[in-house]
Amino acid sequence: MRNVTIDVKHVTRLEGHGNLAVRVRDGEITSLQLAIVESPRFFESFLRGRMYDEAPHITCRICGICSVGHTTASVKGIEAACGIEVSDQTILLRKLLFFGEQIQSHVLHLYFLAVPDFLGVGSVIPLAATHPDVVRRALRMKKLANDLCAAVGGRHIHPIAMHVGGFTHTPSDEELLGLKRRLEASRADLAETAALFKQLQVPALLRDTEYVALKVTGNGEYAFYDGEIVSTKDPSPTKPADYRNRIVESVVEHSAAKHCRSPQSPSYAVGALARFNNNHGQLHPAARNVAGEVGLKAPCRNPFHNNTAQLVETVHCIESSIALIDTMLQHGLKAEPCVRPQRFDRGVGLAEVPRGLLVHEYMLDDRGRIENANLIIPTGQNLANIEADMRAIVPAMLEAGSSKEEITLRLEMLIRAYDPCISCATHFLDIEWVD
Amino acid sequence: MIAERTKRAARPSLYEPVVARIRSVTKQTDSEMLFDIALPEGRPLGHQPGQFVQVLVPGVGECPISICTSPTRADSFGLCVRRVGDVTAHLHGLGAGDTVGIRGPLGRGFNLAEFIGRDVLIVAGGLGLAPVRSLIQYILDERANFGRFSLLYGARNPSELLFRADLVRWRERKDMNFHVTVDKPDDDWRGHSGVVTTLFRELPALDPSTRVVVVGPPVMFKFVVLEVLARRIPQKQLYCSLERRMKCGVGKCGHCQVNHVYVCMEGPVFTYGELKAIREAFE
Amino acid sequence: MLDRVVHRTDLSALIDELARTRRIVGPVKHEDRFFYEAVDRAGRLDLDFTYCVYSPKAQLLPPKETLLTFDRTTGNFTCHPLYDERPTVLAGVHPCDLHAIKLLDHVFGAEHADEQYLSRRRHMFLIGIDCPHPCTAGVFCRDMHAHVADSGFDLMCYPLERDQAGRTVRYGVQVGTTAGQEAILYGRVGTPPTPEAEQHLARYQAEKDRAFPKAIPVDSAGLPGLLAKSYDSLLWEATARRCYSCGSCNLVCPTCYCFDIHDDGALGGNGGERVREWDGCQLRGFAEVAGPHNFRPKPGSRLRHRVFRKGKWILERTGLPGCVGCARCDRACTARISLVDMYKQLAEEV
Amino acid sequence: MKPRIAIFSLTGCEGCSLAILELEDQLLAVLDAVEIVNFREGMTERAWDIDIGFVDGAVSTPGDEAEIRHYRESCKVLVAIGACACLGGINTLKNHQLAAEYRGYVYGERAAWFPTTAARPIAAVVKVDYELPGCPMVKEEFLRFVKHLLAGRQFRLPDYAVCVECKKRGNPCLYDRGVVCLGPMTRAGCDAICPTYGSKCEACRGIVSPEALAAAALNLRDQYHVPQEEVLAGLRLYGAYQEEKLP
Ligand SMILES: Cc1cc2nc3c(=O)[nH]c(=O)nc-3n(C[C@H](O)[C@H](O)[C@H](O)COP(=O)(O)OP(=O)(O)OC[C@H]3O[C@@H](n4cnc5c(N)ncnc54)[C@H](O)[C@@H]3O)c2cc1C
Ligand code: SF4
Ligand code: SF4
Ligand code: SF4
């Protein structure tokens, strides 16, 4: 098979809209694009002129799945710009909320978006009939994560209680205790999930990739909320405010979307696997155990193993949530007023959201209004890398005599493995489809 | 919904309906159906003409409907229901053998003591015939206890006439003075046409002691009252029936309150004299 | 007349004793406001509270409750009423709210008794706490003769003595019912009142009388007359221009008891329930019927309806005041529409 | 026959579609009662013979416009879910800026490469049968909607303000703490979730009635001295802004 044309309009089981187009002529890839057709949203534009404390509420509307992540990066960016130091309690609560979202998002991705591929069905819906226990388990874990978010933030999608400077609500001891019990009970579900993933055949793909993530140096924790930028090619840490030294946004000829590269590589990857590759030593022991069980070893360069890394991170987040709740119960939570701004200036907030490194940068005027904003979303950073992976997969599969359908499915699986959150795309271009 | 511990109390809840069975459903017009309903063991409802019941369709809701048969008749009672919303639409979907919840009889009906031995004039417009039909039947069943009896009935057009079988029978009766009219006659209509007030021409002179009942839409109500008062009938002898939103039907939920009265308790039947003190009733 | 004198710790012990077979509900402080809340022991209550933002109405007529569950099978159904019969001690009810509960008792206990309300009420032990001075500015309980209560409680506690921190340390207790009597005897709390304590109470009451000012131009007996002359006042429409029709004034009011009933069916299956929920005459759809026709479409007529209910109609129907002057409605109104202001303006008009 | 359901997304964050998946406890019962035949975010299969279509997101490009017309043709009942679909949502913030400005700011010289229009609720383009507002849509309301539809009952949105739910929950009122909350003028149905978690209502479910909006204009200016532009900025956030209705 020398000529292949693959067109997938609106790749399914993705957050947002993406089109895939591959042209192979005489065994050579003549064009390959993952095009983002999500409507442009102009967040950076309409943030301008709004008050500083509105930024988290506005930017969390970038994406329903990672709204906690956006809120977190946003409050951190604004706080940096306002010289606000939040209390230890606030940080504890933020981390717990963050874990809630991490679990929620990973479970959703693993069970609803990825598992159907492995089990050869089109969605989770038929699984309700064929594998009811699997679906029930997925819903149970998702609900636990949701309730965790709700107890801290009011709800998971677009959290309410988290503001610049602190929280307007604190969960009660009873709520925390209840959640802790359920988190502990969920270990059984995690074990079953690990067992399920051990059975699944993960396609192989090895390509030299740079993995970029936040890292808390020293004996610090596995980075989600805090950290500096590192990568598998350049482990020296870069401060959040200097993120532009590590992330170069650029325009690529063949694609209408902005791509990202690093000083070291034309493309790089962020996300669960990137975090695992950089920070695996800081995982909770239970998570490390599961990594061993399912055979995930750092450095792992197979992007399909992003799912496996998500599973490992889910274990880490559950265990860390239990520890966080213990700390909270020990110290007791009290209502605290939100910390007020000291100044209005420039600030950068970074966070490792489920899909990878998220950047929120703000410039405020002297009345606290947003003058400029720059938001870099994980999926934007991964796009170039996804395309590079696809360029490696297609010739290899053609070589192996795979059919067009097999190639298409494999490419879709690859895209889904990155769990791209296309509705997050703040500055992707909308392109007209040309055949 | 509530995590509270709950159990059955010794006394019954006022919100618990009696489960009653529909014996038959008869189509009246395109939007009205007549339901014949029996309580368990043929128990009589024990109502007065002019009272109403709360009808429950579980899962949909409850609504007040006037009882349109006389307590002197049979071991069942009638409800004539116009389809306007959720509950009424679901009622229209039910058939013989189905069950509904019934609470009642509720409210204050016609004060029969006031009517007995007197001339009676009933003027009904549209669906207003339903609540007064119980009184009409009562008078006809106890005909000897009343004086001269006249009934004027108006509908918008012939297809909206209710209780057609009754209309035929009433017309044939010698012991009542019955006239019917439609606002907009069609080609087949042979009877009187025009608004209901035009039927007053067909009436003999009214005795000043006549008890008059007027039930119908607000506009009709106003013009009929003018006709009646012009014939020097005292306001306290003039009766009408009010409609309001109702939830509990027993003077608690507040929805049917009009100024100081609860329509479900002091009404739905009021004399015009009483109504005048209820200013909001005319707003 | 006092029946007992108890120390604050005795009162706590008494409540805890009662709570061996009952839940405890009473004022709990959150930031600087008090709310009725279920607690596990009396020590969590703050009986020196000023006022509770919400009245105890919610304890007797919950914002939302299931009246019946039903089960539908083809063409047939059965209904099961539900009751909340948890024995409860409601500790810390001010006289105004005791008056309000009396009104609720009357409304729900009268003709067509509401067993869902009454069963809850019958299982409620009420401990009143008298207020030595107005709980906050703007109240007009005195004008409504609701600043003192001589019945409607199981026990009534008069705060006779305070410590330096302003906490009541000694209460004079008056027994209102045999249940109250039994609780005192069974709990063996406090000491019999001495003549000195009686004098103390007399002094307390005299001081209280001076502490409660007149706040509106007429009292509860004069209100019906004032309102009768004000039906056509332009004040209603003028004031209502600011009214959101948000119903907050209704819902926080201890004497507003209007409700809605609706059905909630289960998804798939034949079960479901009939649910009662708070409603309020200020809400736009309150008097709306199918059609749709709204019998009270204008905010001005709704506002007038509420004020007439509070000041005139309930009193005339029940003989009990329809408003106890707690001013919760005034405080809850974010448009700052105030009964006190309206009464003052109406009095100036006539 | 189970009703055939589809879930579509236009310009938005897809949080409303996600909220359906977050019904966890009732999701299996919902899946039992209906047949989902088209849901890009959650499944590969797609069908176009649809009884009820739920759409989240606003119409903000010519592409969206074509899509929504196609959905309208394919669905017997069309339901707008979420603030974006019902009110235009947060996307409408750009409507208050000059197009050249907001496009150029994000895309620089290449702004001309792609088309965009003012963000609009979908009812501005096609007939919408029901709206379930909120940012995100309230999943309990979605469930109530589905139950009503399955039982053949008419679905109505609450026609009262958020304060009602706040009171039923026994929340302290934010005005009591000096915070100007938009609850009194906003349509309820969210169970007052924001005030319950200590945050002011931001009117994501839209204005409850013209009278309430008029009252707000008077009260916020006269009683709370909030400058008009701040009131407008607040109401613009989720598209609840209704310039023509302000007195
Ligand atoms: C005393 C009395 C007697 C009545 N007698 C009859 C009769 O004999 N025949 C008949 O067809 N109709 C009668 N009605 C009107 C009937 O009650 C309404 O048409 C019915 O409530 C509409 O309910 P629905 O659920 O179909 O409409 P929806 O619009 O879906 O009603 C929603 C809810 O609003 C309330 N509601 C709506 N309209 C009314 C209304 N007009 N009155 C009271 N509550 C209302 C009900 O609680 C209802 O559940 C009477 C009303 C009253 C007050
Ligand atoms: S009307 Fe106002 S002052 Fe009177 S009892 Fe109700 S809330 Fe209190
Ligand atoms: S609280 Fe105020 S604004 Fe709300 S309905 Fe009552 S009077 Fe109107
Ligand atoms: S907090 Fe907001 S929504 Fe709640 S009662 Fe106050 S004004 Fe109304």
Side-chain angles (χ1 to χ4, degrees):
Chain A
M1 194 168 48
R2 306 290 297 164
N3 293 337
V4 182
T5 302
I6 295 173
D7 277 332
V8 182
K9 181 155 190 253
H10 291 186
V11 179
T12 56
R13 280 181 283 136
L14 285 187
E15 263 283 290
H17 302 65
N19 291 345
L20 171 65
V22 182
R23 302 279 178 284
V24 179
R25 294 289 172 269
D26 298 327
E28 290 286 315
I29 297 177
T30 55
S31 103
L32 185 155
Q33 299 184 24
L34 176 59
I36 306 309
V37 293
E38 188 70 17
S39 309
R41 314 250 340 249
F42 303 103
F43 273 90
E44 289 145 320
S45 299
F46 55 64
L47 276 167
R48 293 202 296 166
R50 302 297 305 197
M51 281 304 282
Y52 72 96
D53 56 352
E54 292 181 309
H57 275 211
I58 294 176
T59 55
C60 76
R61 267 77 189 181
I62 290 173
C63 170
I65 291 198
C66 23
S67 53
V68 170
H70 277 288
T71 311
T72 307
S74 184
V75 291
K76 285 180 67 187
I78 294 285
E79 282 161 4
C82 295
I84 292 175
E85 293 270 349
V86 297
S87 71
D88 292 348
Q89 173 177 308
T90 294
I91 293 175
L92 287 180
L93 286 167
R94 282 186 187 169
K95 285 181 178 170
L96 187 59
L97 181 57
F98 206 84
F99 287 141
E101 172 161 280
Q102 207 73 233
I103 301 167
Q104 148 86 25
S105 176
H106 282 357
V107 169
L108 181 76
H109 186 233
L110 290 170
Y111 276 97
F112 286 62
L113 310 179
V115 162
D117 277 337
F118 293 117
L119 297 181
V121 287
S123 77
V124 73
I125 294 162
L127 291 183
T130 56
H131 299 68
D133 48 325
V134 172
V135 175
R136 256 188 231 112
R137 186 196 313 138
L139 289 174
R140 195 161 52 232
M141 292 170 70
K142 222 170 84 60
K143 178 163 169 56
L144 169 57
N146 251 343
D147 292 348
L148 198 60
C149 292
V152 182
R155 67 185 168 207
H156 162 242
I157 305 173
H158 310 329
I160 295 149
M162 182 159 145
H163 294 268
V164 171
F167 280 84
T168 49
H169 174 89
T170 44
S172 68
D173 284 3
E174 292 75 42
E175 277 175 291
L176 289 174
L177 264 175
L179 286 168
K180 184 186 162 189
R181 283 198 205 101
R182 285 169 59 196
L183 284 163
E184 286 167 347
S186 75
R187 285 174 180 143
D189 285 338
L190 280 174
E192 302 248 15
T193 307
L196 172 70
F197 273 81
K198 217 156 52 180
Q199 289 166 20
L200 302 178
Q201 282 285 311
V202 177
L205 170 71
L206 287 185
R207 201 179 59 76
D208 184 34
T209 297
E210 179 178 11
Y211 288 95
V212 177
L214 289 182
K215 184 177 191 76
V216 185
T217 45
N219 292 335
E221 59 191 17
Y222 188 88
F224 282 119
Y225 178 77
D226 281 324
E228 295 169 318
I229 305 170
V230 298
S231 86
T232 44
K233 296 224 165 129
D234 178 4
S236 68
T238 301
K239 295 230 170 325
D242 304 326
Y243 76 92
R244 284 175 203 262
N245 295 344
R246 299 297 291 250
I247 302 174
V248 186
E249 283 188 281
S250 64
V251 173
V252 188
E253 269 311 306
H254 78 264
S255 165
K258 272 188 190 175
H259 281 196
C260 290
R261 61 179 169 79
S262 81
Q264 282 73 33
S265 320
S267 77
Y268 63 86
V270 295
L273 192 57
R275 288 190 289 261
F276 175 82
N277 280 338
N278 282 294
N279 301 328
H280 53 93
Q282 290 150 307
L283 280 169
H284 188 278
R288 267 197 307 245
N289 277 345
V290 169
E293 260 175 60
V294 294
L296 183 66
K297 277 198 285 292
C300 167
R301 291 202 215 92
N302 180 356
F304 289 99
H305 267 304
N306 195 42
N307 290 148
T308 324
Q310 288 174 330
L311 167 69
V312 170
E313 283 195 343
T314 305
V315 177
H316 174 86
C317 291
I318 297 243
E319 295 299 337
S320 306
S321 300
I322 295 172
L324 270 180
I325 290 178
D326 279 337
T327 316
M328 290 179 191
L329 288 172
Q330 219 167 30
H331 296 288
L333 297 177
K334 56 180 193 308
E336 296 176 332
C338 292
V339 184
R340 310 288 311 160
Q342 304 294 307
R343 56 164 196 271
F344 295 121
D345 201 347
R346 171 184 178 262
V348 175
L350 303 185
E352 278 290 344
V353 300
R355 284 155 195 80
L357 179 60
L358 172 63
V359 181
H360 277 224
E361 181 187 7
Y362 299 100
M363 195 61 218
L364 306 178
D365 73 7
D366 53 8
R367 289 185 307 162
R369 286 178 203 279
I370 298 167
E371 240 171 20
N372 277 308
N374 190 36
L375 315 172
I376 304 177
I377 273 71
T379 299
Q381 301 171 64
N382 276 334
L383 268 186
N385 211 58
I386 300 176
E387 286 192 2
D389 283 348
M390 293 198 289
R391 283 172 191 280
I393 290 176
V394 175
M397 287 187 78
L398 282 174
E399 196 86 341
S402 306
S403 70
K404 177 180 158 181
E405 287 66 38
E406 284 168 331
I407 300 177
T408 308
L409 178 65
R410 181 66 55 84
L411 294 184
E412 285 195 72
M413 277 177 82
L414 175 80
I415 297 171
R416 285 198 277 266
Y418 276 90
D419 192 9
C421 193
I422 294 169
S423 52
C424 296
T426 50
H427 43 221
F428 290 144
L429 290 183
D430 184 63
I431 58 158
E432 293 297 313
W433 192 251
V434 269
D435 215 350
Chain B
M1 180 201 77
I2 41 168
E4 289 166 4
R5 197 154 51 83
T6 50
K7 66 177 190 195
R8 305 203 105 192
R11 273 164 278 199
S13 164
L14 89 90
Y15 304 103
E16 184 178 2
V18 174
V19 178
R21 198 163 291 279
I22 298 172
R23 291 212 308 205
S24 68
V25 184
T26 330
K27 183 173 166 181
Q28 294 285 306
T29 69
D30 284 345
S31 55
E32 277 108 4
M33 297 263 212
L34 177 62
F35 294 82
D36 183 38
I37 297 176
L39 296 185
E41 292 114 37
R43 239 166 38 224
L45 184 61
H47 66 285
Q48 290 282 303
Q51 284 190 297
F52 66 97
V53 289
Q54 284 280 7
V55 187
L56 171 71
V57 181
V60 182
E62 204 179 48
C63 69
I65 301 290
S66 306
I67 304 153
C68 70
T69 49
S70 163
T72 48
R73 303 246 169 131
D75 47 3
S76 65
F77 58 93
L79 302 177
C80 177
V81 180
R82 171 177 291 176
R83 189 178 64 233
V84 295
D86 265 5
V87 181
T88 47
H90 279 79
L91 276 171
H92 277 220
L94 298 180
D98 288 339
T99 51
V100 290
I102 296 289
R103 292 196 292 128
L106 301 169
R108 186 183 66 158
F110 296 99
N111 183 354
L112 290 174
E114 276 286 312
F115 286 71
I116 287 175
R118 324 264 190 203
D119 289 359
V120 178
L121 164 63
I122 297 180
V123 188
L127 188 57
L129 186 58
V132 294
R133 185 172 174 257
S134 54
L135 183 62
I136 298 169
Q137 286 187 348
Y138 188 91
I139 292 171
L140 296 177
D141 289 351
E142 310 270 315
R143 192 63 193 89
N145 287 335
F146 297 88
R148 288 185 300 166
F149 174 38
S150 310
L151 169 62
L152 309 181
Y153 172 44
R156 269 190 305 202
N157 57 56
S159 71
E160 288 185 16
L161 287 171
L162 298 170
F163 306 111
R164 281 150 193 277
D166 286 351
L167 304 186
V168 173
R169 256 176 275 133
W170 293 340
R171 214 192 313 260
E172 283 163 4
R173 283 184 84 123
K174 297 281 174 287
D175 58 353
M176 72 185 282
N177 187 0
F178 172 55
H179 299 280
V180 59
T181 180
V182 296
D183 297 355
K184 294 192 195 74
D186 60 13
D187 294 345
D188 299 333
W189 182 249
R190 295 283 166 268
H192 197 105
S193 65
V195 293
V196 77
T197 40
T198 58
L199 291 179
F200 274 80
R201 277 183 249 132
E202 313 288 325
L203 287 182
L206 294 182
D207 187 274
S209 73
T210 306
R211 287 345 192 219
V212 183
V213 176
V214 184
V215 183
V219 247
M220 167 224 150
F221 181 76
K222 186 181 163 198
F223 287 106
V224 173
V225 167
L226 285 174
E227 292 289 339
V228 174
L229 295 181
R231 285 167 174 75
R232 311 199 54 175
I233 305 290
Q235 299 180 359
K236 63 178 188 347
Q237 285 167 221
L238 177 55
Y239 291 81
C240 60
S241 180
L242 279 195
E243 248 188 53
R244 283 297 181 276
R245 177 156 174 171
M246 283 178 192
K247 285 298 180 178
C248 70
V250 291
K252 310 208 183 314
C253 78
H255 285 95
C256 71
Q257 193 176 2
V258 193
N259 293 162
H260 59 289
V261 306
Y262 277 74
V263 174
C264 68
M265 298 293 283
E266 285 85 35
V269 173
F270 293 94
T271 67
Y272 184 68
E274 290 167 332
L275 212 55
K276 272 201 322 177
I278 313 173
R279 293 193 43 196
E280 208 185 25
F282 295 104
E283 277 175 11
Chain C
M1 270 296 286
L2 290 180
D3 293 294
R4 209 77 183 165
V5 174
V6 303
H7 191 265
R8 70 179 283 125
T9 50
D10 295 335
L11 185 57
S12 276
L14 175 74
I15 296 171
D16 282 333
E17 178 64 37
L18 285 164
R20 283 153 66 108
T21 51
R22 297 173 173 87
R23 313 148 66 218
I24 312 177
V25 177
V28 176
K29 195 169 186 171
H30 289 289
E31 300 189 27
D32 52 352
R33 295 278 186 270
F34 299 90
F35 297 85
Y36 284 109
E37 237 176 66
V39 294
D40 56 355
R41 60 196 150 80
R44 298 228 169 157
L45 301 180
D46 194 335
L47 295 178
D48 286 309
F49 69 108
T50 50
Y51 61 89
C52 285
V53 173
Y54 292 91
S55 79
K57 170 176 75 177
Q59 310 305 321
L60 288 158
L61 185 70
K64 190 172 181 184
E65 74 175 309
T66 302
L67 294 173
L68 316 166
T69 60
F70 55 81
D71 194 15
R72 242 172 338 180
T73 42
T74 22
N76 213 339
F77 73 96
T78 52
C79 276
H80 304 279
L82 291 179
Y83 302 91
D84 175 4
E85 301 192 301
R86 293 172 300 174
T88 301
V89 39
L90 182 58
V93 186
H94 282 331
C96 59
D97 286 338
L98 288 170
H99 282 278
I101 293 175
K102 268 201 215 175
L103 175 71
L104 299 183
D105 289 352
H106 178 90
V107 170
F108 290 99
E111 213 184 337
H112 300 285
D114 186 313
E115 278 303 312
Q116 264 93 359
Y117 173 91
L118 291 176
S119 58
R120 207 178 263 114
R121 179 69 180 88
R122 273 194 292 270
H123 290 85
M124 183 134 336
F125 187 96
L126 285 180
I127 302 183
I129 304 270
D130 198 57
C131 345
H133 43 70
C135 55
T136 181
V139 298
F140 55 106
C141 46
R142 199 218 169 93
D143 308 84
M144 306 312 284
H145 304 292
H147 65 313
V148 289
D150 52 14
S151 64
F153 47 78
D154 292 288
L155 296 174
M156 183 72 184
C157 307
Y158 296 91
L160 293 186
E161 234 177 83
R162 289 154 183 274
D163 64 11
Q164 249 126 37
R167 294 188 319 171
T168 306
V169 288
R170 232 156 50 96
Y171 292 96
V173 176
Q174 191 185 339
V175 166
T177 58
T178 44
Q181 180 74 26
E182 279 165 23
I184 286 279
L185 293 177
Y186 183 76
R188 272 190 243 107
V189 286
T191 51
T194 55
E196 187 204 340
E198 290 289 357
Q199 281 168 12
H200 204 146
L201 178 67
R203 221 167 39 241
Y204 167 89
Q205 276 163 339
E207 275 170 30
K208 170 164 178 167
D209 200 48
R210 283 194 294 278
F212 280 74
K214 237 183 114 46
I216 55 173
V218 286
D219 70 349
S220 55
L223 264 181
L226 173 62
L227 290 174
K229 292 188 215 123
S230 309
Y231 195 82
D232 296 309
S233 171
L234 284 177
L235 184 76
W236 309 119
E237 203 186 317
T239 310
R241 288 208 179 164
R242 302 204 322 261
C243 176
Y244 290 109
S245 297
C246 72
S248 291
C249 48
N250 287 138
L251 303 184
V252 297
C253 175
T255 61
C256 270
Y257 49 79
C258 293
F259 55 83
D260 182 36
I261 305 178
H262 53 89
D263 278 40
D264 189 5
L267 184 67
N270 290 309
E273 43 195 43
R274 273 183 76 63
V275 178
R276 153 155 68 192
E277 241 181 299
W278 284 357
D279 205 340
C281 62
Q282 298 306 92
L283 303 179
R284 201 154 22 102
F286 188 74
E288 192 176 307
V289 295
H293 177 73
N294 195 337
F295 285 104
R296 219 173 282 124
K298 293 212 274 315
S301 49
R302 293 196 291 272
L303 186 64
R304 178 181 63 196
H305 183 80
R306 171 169 74 93
V307 177
F308 269 70
R309 240 179 99 95
K310 301 283 100 173
K312 182 168 157 56
W313 295 329
I314 290 184
L315 179 71
E316 289 170 352
R317 288 183 72 87
T318 66
L320 297 168
C323 161
V324 296
C326 67
R328 284 191 178 92
C329 53
D330 286 16
R331 290 193 298 269
C333 180
T334 65
R336 303 207 168 122
I337 292 172
S338 151
L339 264 187
V340 171
D341 288 353
M342 284 189 284
Y343 287 154
K344 284 183 182 161
Q345 290 180 48
L346 290 176
E348 274 171 26
E349 274 180 20
V350 293
Chain D
M1 262 286 280
K2 292 181 182 178
R4 294 162 61 82
I5 304 280
I7 301 160
F8 300 113
S9 293
L10 299 173
T11 304
C13 76
E14 305 195 8
C16 297
S17 319
L18 181 68
I20 298 175
L21 292 182
E22 294 202 350
L23 275 170
E24 287 109 4
D25 281 344
Q26 297 91 0
L27 190 61
L28 290 177
V30 172
L31 291 180
D32 214 38
V34 303
E35 189 186 345
I36 299 193
V37 297
N38 195 329
F39 180 19
R40 183 193 41 74
E41 207 178 320
M43 63 194 286
T44 304
E45 299 84 351
R46 302 212 200 137
W48 291 103
D49 159 22
I50 297 157
D51 292 320
I52 311 166
F54 295 94
V55 185
D56 74 12
V59 177
S60 82
T61 63
D64 285 344
E65 235 181 279
E67 292 276 314
I68 190 63
R69 287 187 205 284
H70 180 210
Y71 302 158
R72 177 69 266 185
E73 279 163 20
S74 317
C75 306
K76 294 198 186 86
V77 175
L78 193 68
V79 189
I81 58 175
C84 296
C86 299
L87 306 167
I90 205 136
N91 312 288
T92 58
L93 284 176
K94 74 172 189 190
N95 299 358
H96 307 293
Q97 300 182 345
L98 290 173
E101 201 178 299
Y102 67 74
R103 292 166 76 187
Y105 182 69
V106 177
Y107 297 103
E109 286 167 7
R110 303 195 311 158
W113 280 32
F114 59 89
T116 182
T117 60
R120 285 159 296 162
I122 59 180
V125 182
V126 295
K127 177 174 168 286
V128 169
D129 299 299
Y130 296 96
E131 297 191 335
L132 304 177
C135 188
M137 164 189 85
V138 181
K139 58 187 181 190
E140 290 77 13
E141 186 162 84
F142 172 83
L143 198 65
R144 189 168 72 84
F145 175 81
V146 171
K147 283 203 249 180
H148 269 69
L149 224 65
L150 290 174
R153 294 172 69 181
Q154 276 182 42
F155 175 83
R156 290 188 191 92
L157 287 175
D159 62 351
Y160 45 80
V162 178
C163 298
V164 171
E165 292 171 338
C166 228
K167 298 291 167 251
K168 287 182 185 168
R169 291 189 76 150
N171 291 336
C173 178
L174 289 159
Y175 277 87
D176 208 17
R177 281 197 236 145
V179 177
V180 172
C181 170
L182 299 186
M185 67 206 81
T186 302
R187 185 187 296 284
C190 53
D191 208 10
I193 187 164
C194 293
T196 303
Y197 284 88
S199 218
K200 62 177 193 278
C201 168
E202 295 177 330
C204 74
R205 289 176 54 85
I207 300 297
V208 62
S209 72
E211 296 144 21
L213 189 63
L218 277 180
N219 292 328
L220 297 188
R221 188 187 63 212
D222 298 351
Q223 309 285 324
Y224 297 94
H225 314 294
V226 185
Q228 178 91 349
E229 70 257 27
E230 252 177 64
V231 179
L232 293 184
L235 293 176
R236 276 173 181 176
L237 202 50
Y238 300 101
Y241 176 66
Q242 296 169 324
E243 191 167 21
E244 67 287 358
K245 292 196 193 134
L246 271 177

